[in-house]
Amino acid sequence: MPNPAAEAKPVDDIQGDGRWMSLHEAFLRDAKEKEPEVVLIGDLLIAKLSQSRLWQQMFEPLHSLNFGIGGDRTENVLWRVLNGELDQIEPKVVVLLVGTNNYDNTADEVTEGILAIARAIREKQPTANLIVMGLLPRGEKPNPLREKHAAINKRLAEELQDIPLTTFLKIDDKEFMSADDIIRRDVLYDFLNLTVDLGYQKLCEPLLEEIQNLMGTFIKVESTSVETSSIGGDIATN
Amino acid sequence: NKAIADYLYSNGFQGALEHFQKEAGLSPEIEKKFSGLLEKRWTSVIRLQKKVMDLETKLTEAEEEVNSGAPTRDRRQPGEWIPRPPERYCLSGHRSPVTRVVFHPYYSVMVSCSEDATIRVWDYESGDYERSLKGHTDSVQDVAFDSSGKFLVSCSADMTIKLWDFNGYECTKTMFGHDHNVSSVTFMPSGDFVLSSSRDKTIKMWDVATGYCVKTYTGHREWVRMVKVYQDGSLLASCSNDQTVRVWVTATKECKAELREHEHVVECIAWAPDSAQPAINEASGTEAKSAKRSGPFLISGSRDKTLKMWDVSVGLCLFTLAGHDNWIRGVVFHPGGKYILSAADDKTIRAWDIQNKRNHKVLQAHPHFVTSIDMHRNAPYVITGSVDTTVKVWECR
C-alpha cells in the first residue's frame, strides 16, 4: 500500500507567489557555494531557529546552514533531499526534524516517511553523521496527536538504534510541560511552536552537545543559559 | 557516562570499568565514538578557564591604560607596533560579507571586495568612501595591486578575472578560462603576468598584455584557495581544500614541494619577508651559524585552527601556532619581521610573537567571522574585513 508520507512531493503553490520553490532554489544556491559543517533540515521548528539569537551564538560558529521550511511534511523534505539540497556540500553532521505537519497520516506512515528521508540523506552523504530528532509534543492537554508522536518516537528509537553514523535524539517531553502534562506557553507559545530563547534552548542544548560530540571538536560557543550571558559566570561560581 | 567508561577502559581500570558499567546500566561494549571524549571535554573546560583568566588580566591592563593614558609610541619601536583597539574606523557600505581587504602600495587608499559583487575604494586616513568598481556578476573573492599601484586585478565566483586601470577606475580586460569560482589572484613582481587559483583545482598564469592564459599548474586534488608569488618571482605557493600547501617553480610548472601536515582545508598563505629571517631562525632553534636557515619561509593558516611555518627549501614544518578557536581565514607578516597577524572565524585577530612562537595579543575585531587582514608595508595601519559587511581600520602603536 503506497504511503503518501514517504512519496517525495514538492509543495503546491496554492497561494500564488511560488515561495516554496524560491526557498528550495535559494537552498540549492547555498549548497553550491557554501561549505557548511552542519546542515539542519525540516519544518518550521528548524526554520524559525535561524531567527533566534541562539542561531547566531550556537550554530553560526560551527558553520551551519538552515534548510527548514515552515509547513513542510515528510514527503516535502524527502523531495528536497532527493532534488539537490544535500548535493555538493560535505557536512560533518546533518540534523533532521520533521513530521508534526503530517497530522493526517498514521504513526506508522509518518515513521516510514522519516525513515525514507534518513535513507535518502545517507545515500547523499555516506560519511556524515545524521541526527534524527524526536517529534515534540503538541496541544495544550493530552490528545491523540501527542500519543501519535510518542508512538512515532518509540518506533524511530528502535529502528535507528543499530544504524551506523545515525543518532536518534529525543528531548524529554517533560521539558515542555508542567507537572500535570499541560504544555507551558513559555516554551511552546501556541502549543506547537517553540518560543525563541527559552523553548529553543531546551531543543538546542542537547542538540549542540550531540553535534559537538560527533564533530569531536569543542568550538567555543557562548553560554545558552538565559540567566548568565557568558560561560565565565558559570565557571567562576564553581 | 559512555565517555567515562571509555576513559576507564583506555587507562586500564578494568575492575572499576565493569563496576561502573553495571551501576550505570551501560552495555559492556565500548563505543568508538566516545574515544578520548572525556579528555577533550576536560581540556575544553580548562581552556575556557584560562580564557577567563586571560580576559581578566586583559581587563586590568585595559583599565590601567585608560587611567594612565595609552602607552606612547616612544616606549615601543615601530617594529613592535601592533593593532590596538578601538578601531579607528568602521566602514559600512558593502551589502554582503567582505571577502578581502588590501592596501594600495603608495596612496592612503585601500580596497575591499565583497560577495555583493562590488569592489570599494576607501581612504583609510580620512575614513572616506571614494568609489565602487562594478562589473563582476557574482561574489568578488580577491583583489591585488601590481607593485606600481597603477593596476588592480580582481577575481570572482563568476569565473572571470578582471584587470582595472586604477587611474581611471576602468576595467581594461576580462580573462576567461577557469571552470569554477576563482578564489585568489596576484601579480608577478614584473607586473606582466597575473596568477590565479580556482575551485577547478588549477592555478593559471595570464599574460596581462593579451589577456590569455599562458600556463596552467595542475596537481592539487581539490579547490586551490590561494596562490602567492615569492618576492623574486621564481616560486609560487598555493594552498588547497586537499589540506596541502604546494610550492611550484614558476617557470617550469614543476611542483617542488607538497607540504602535508594540516588536518583541514588550508585557507591562506604568506611568504615571509627577509626581515623575519632572524626571528624564524630563533624560533626553530638554529642559532649556530652553520645551521642557520635561509628559507624561503612560508606561513599557512588552516581550518584546523593552526598556523604552520614552513622552510620551503627542505619542505619542513618548523613550528605550529595554536590559539585561534575557529577557522583561520587570513594571515600577514608584520613588516618589522617580529610578528605574524592572523584573522579567524572566532571573530578575533591575533598577533603572534614569531621568536617565542606564542600568541602575543588577541583583539576582538568584529561581531562575526573576520575574513581578511592586511598590514601596510610602512605605515602603522592594519585593515580587516568581515562577514558583518564592514571594513575596519586599526592603528598600530
Side-chain angles (χ1 to χ4, degrees):
Chain A
M1 256 220 346
N3 173 6
E7 283 174 21
K9 187 177 173 298
V11 164
D12 294 326
D13 182 24
I14 298 175
Q15 293 177 6
D17 61 4
R19 284 186 309 117
W20 191 89
M21 196 49 81
S22 301
L23 269 174
H24 169 65
E25 278 158 14
F27 295 158
L28 288 179
R29 283 194 295 274
D30 279 349
K32 251 188 64 181
E33 295 299 325
K34 301 201 173 146
E35 296 168 280
E37 300 211 307
V38 180
V39 175
L40 296 91
I41 188 166
D43 54 30
L44 189 67
L45 290 166
I46 294 288
K48 260 194 84 192
L49 172 59
S50 69
Q51 300 308 303
S52 82
R53 200 170 51 105
L54 291 174
W55 180 258
Q56 223 185 23
Q57 286 175 340
M58 301 176 73
F59 289 93
E60 269 180 354
L62 298 178
H63 301 95
S64 310
L65 278 183
N66 187 312
F67 285 175
I69 301 186
D72 262 19
R73 301 164 59 105
T74 54
E75 56 267 33
N76 309 132
V77 171
L78 179 61
W79 189 92
R80 294 198 280 126
V81 170
L82 294 175
N83 282 275
E85 284 183 17
L86 294 185
D87 292 358
Q88 295 191 4
I89 46 179
E90 290 171 5
K92 298 202 164 113
V93 180
V94 178
V95 179
L96 172 67
L97 174 54
V98 69
T100 193
N101 289 315
N102 291 72
Y103 57 85
D104 51 350
N105 291 123
T106 66
D108 279 338
E109 284 173 340
V110 181
T111 309
E112 293 293 337
I114 295 171
L115 292 172
I117 302 171
R119 281 193 296 274
I121 292 174
R122 178 55 63 221
E123 237 194 80
K124 292 281 180 183
Q125 296 289 338
T127 56
N129 283 287
L130 171 61
I131 300 174
V132 177
M133 297 207 67
L135 299 185
L136 303 184
R138 54 184 289 177
E140 187 189 16
K141 307 189 183 92
N143 64 77
L145 286 177
R146 280 213 213 160
E147 286 161 29
K148 193 175 104 174
H149 284 200
I152 293 169
N153 288 341
K154 186 162 176 294
R155 234 195 103 188
L156 284 175
E158 285 162 11
E159 303 253 7
L160 295 170
Q161 195 175 19
D162 294 316
I163 301 184
L165 294 181
T166 306
T167 311
F168 176 65
L169 181 64
K170 177 169 138 33
I171 315 295
D172 197 332
D173 281 1
K174 290 201 204 64
E175 294 285 333
F176 304 102
M177 299 185 216
S178 43
D180 45 4
D181 287 356
I182 303 283
I183 280 189
R184 294 161 37 194
R185 285 194 65 214
D186 64 341
V187 279
L188 291 169
Y189 64 89
D190 60 356
F191 311 115
L192 172 63
N193 290 299
L194 292 160
T195 51
V196 277
D197 292 356
L198 188 56
Y200 272 106
Q201 194 185 310
K202 295 210 179 271
L203 187 81
C204 294
E205 273 176 358
L207 176 59
L208 191 75
E209 194 171 308
E210 188 60 35
I211 291 173
Q212 301 246 54
N213 280 347
L214 293 172
M215 283 173 62
T217 62
F218 294 95
I219 295 187
K220 182 174 84 72
V221 295
E222 294 170 49
S223 165
T224 61
S225 163
V226 178
E227 293 84 42
T228 63
S229 56
S230 86
I231 292 186
D234 287 336
I235 291 177
T237 54
N238 283 345
Chain B
N1 277 354
K2 290 188 183 172
I4 295 175
D6 169 84
Y7 174 79
L8 293 171
Y9 171 72
S10 29
N11 286 279
F13 301 117
Q14 197 55 34
L17 172 64
E18 281 162 18
H19 204 80
F20 178 69
Q21 279 170 329
K22 236 192 288 183
E23 280 196 327
L26 294 174
S27 73
E29 301 106 52
I30 302 293
E31 282 179 57
K32 255 221 156 62
K33 78 175 182 186
F34 293 100
S35 156
L37 206 64
L38 203 66
E39 279 111 330
K40 276 191 194 143
R41 297 183 74 177
W42 269 334
T43 46
S44 80
V45 171
I46 291 166
R47 282 185 68 200
L48 287 169
Q49 281 179 326
K50 180 167 186 309
K51 190 153 183 97
V52 169
M53 285 179 354
D54 282 346
L55 284 169
E56 285 174 336
T57 318
K58 230 169 269 198
L59 179 60
T60 327
E61 280 175 17
E63 280 173 334
E64 273 172 31
E65 276 196 33
V66 165
N67 292 332
S68 63
T72 61
R73 291 184 185 199
D74 306 335
R75 285 198 231 146
R76 275 198 279 263
Q77 301 281 20
E80 286 158 4
W81 292 349
I82 55 173
R84 296 191 191 268
E87 65 268 17
R88 169 111 176 235
Y89 296 116
C90 177
L91 307 171
S92 322
H94 279 298
R95 293 215 186 89
S96 300
V98 175
T99 49
R100 193 79 79 223
V101 289
V102 294
F103 278 108
H104 190 283
Y106 297 106
Y107 309 145
S108 68
V109 139
M110 66 184 200
V111 160
S112 61
C113 59
S114 160
E115 286 181 13
D116 67 10
T118 70
I119 298 163
R120 281 182 167 244
V121 184
W122 316 81
D123 181 319
Y124 60 78
E125 277 181 349
S126 65
D128 289 337
Y129 157 69
E130 305 256 303
R131 62 180 303 126
S132 283
L133 304 179
K134 295 186 179 160
H136 280 296
T137 55
D138 201 340
S139 171
V140 185
Q141 307 285 81
D142 195 6
V143 274
F145 282 104
D146 71 326
S147 49
S148 71
K150 293 201 188 116
F151 295 101
L152 182 76
V153 66
S154 64
C155 63
S156 164
D158 68 11
M159 305 195 272
T160 70
I161 296 157
K162 282 180 182 288
L163 197 65
W164 308 80
D165 174 330
F166 209 64
N167 283 326
Y169 300 113
E170 286 167 352
C171 172
T172 56
K173 269 211 172 51
T174 300
M175 296 174 250
F176 301 88
H178 275 299
D179 296 320
H180 212 318
N181 187 337
V182 190
S183 51
S184 171
V185 76
T186 189
F187 275 97
M188 284 290 284
S190 62
D192 298 335
F193 297 96
V194 152
L195 284 148
S196 63
S197 76
S198 166
R199 197 168 174 177
D200 69 9
K201 309 179 195 172
T202 70
I203 297 160
K204 284 181 185 288
M205 182 187 282
W206 310 78
D207 181 334
V208 162
T210 62
Y212 291 136
C213 169
V214 296
K215 275 195 177 69
T216 299
Y217 301 75
T218 53
H220 274 299
R221 294 181 197 86
E222 300 286 339
W223 185 344
V224 188
R225 297 204 83 99
M226 193 176 271
V227 63
K228 289 278 178 211
V229 189
Y230 185 54
Q231 54 195 9
D232 69 1
S234 64
L235 299 174
L236 307 177
S238 61
C239 60
S240 164
N241 277 31
D242 67 13
Q243 305 182 2
T244 68
V245 174
R246 279 177 179 246
V247 180
W248 314 76
V249 178
T250 315
T252 67
K253 300 196 290 182
E254 173 208 341
C255 178
K256 192 175 129 79
E258 189 185 342
L259 311 171
R260 176 182 287 285
E261 259 197 43
H262 279 297
E263 294 169 346
H264 206 325
V265 171
V266 188
E267 290 243 15
C268 52
I269 41 180
W271 288 99
D274 293 338
S275 58
Q277 287 216 6
I280 295 174
N281 268 292
E282 272 284 329
S284 38
T286 48
E287 287 141 37
K289 233 183 169 173
S290 53
K292 204 158 100 76
R293 297 176 183 278
S294 51
F297 303 106
L298 186 69
I299 189 106
S300 60
S302 164
R303 288 185 190 171
D304 67 10
K305 309 181 225 166
T306 70
L307 296 154
K308 285 184 185 281
M309 182 73 78
W310 307 89
D311 181 337
V312 160
S313 59
V314 288
L316 200 67
C317 172
L318 299 176
F319 56 85
T320 300
L321 300 170
H324 270 300
D325 289 319
N326 210 325
W327 298 0
I328 294 176
R329 306 292 298 276
V331 68
V332 68
F333 274 89
H334 189 295
K338 295 206 171 116
Y339 298 106
I340 288 160
L341 298 175
S342 59
D345 281 354
D346 62 5
K347 310 173 189 171
T348 70
I349 57 181
R350 283 171 199 247
W352 306 84
D353 175 334
I354 298 176
Q355 189 171 308
N356 298 304
K357 296 176 281 197
R358 60 179 203 92
N359 189 191
H360 179 69
K361 201 137 182 97
V362 181
L363 224 151
Q364 302 298 328
H366 286 269
H368 207 323
F369 302 160
V370 191
T371 54
S372 176
I373 183 167
D374 195 14
M375 179 153 185
H376 200 282
R377 62 210 186 116
N378 47 31
Y381 291 103
V382 159
I383 46 179
T384 54
S386 167
V387 168
D388 71 6
T389 75
T390 71
V391 174
K392 287 193 180 187
V393 179
W394 307 85
E395 279 171 327
C396 300
R397 24 172 207 280

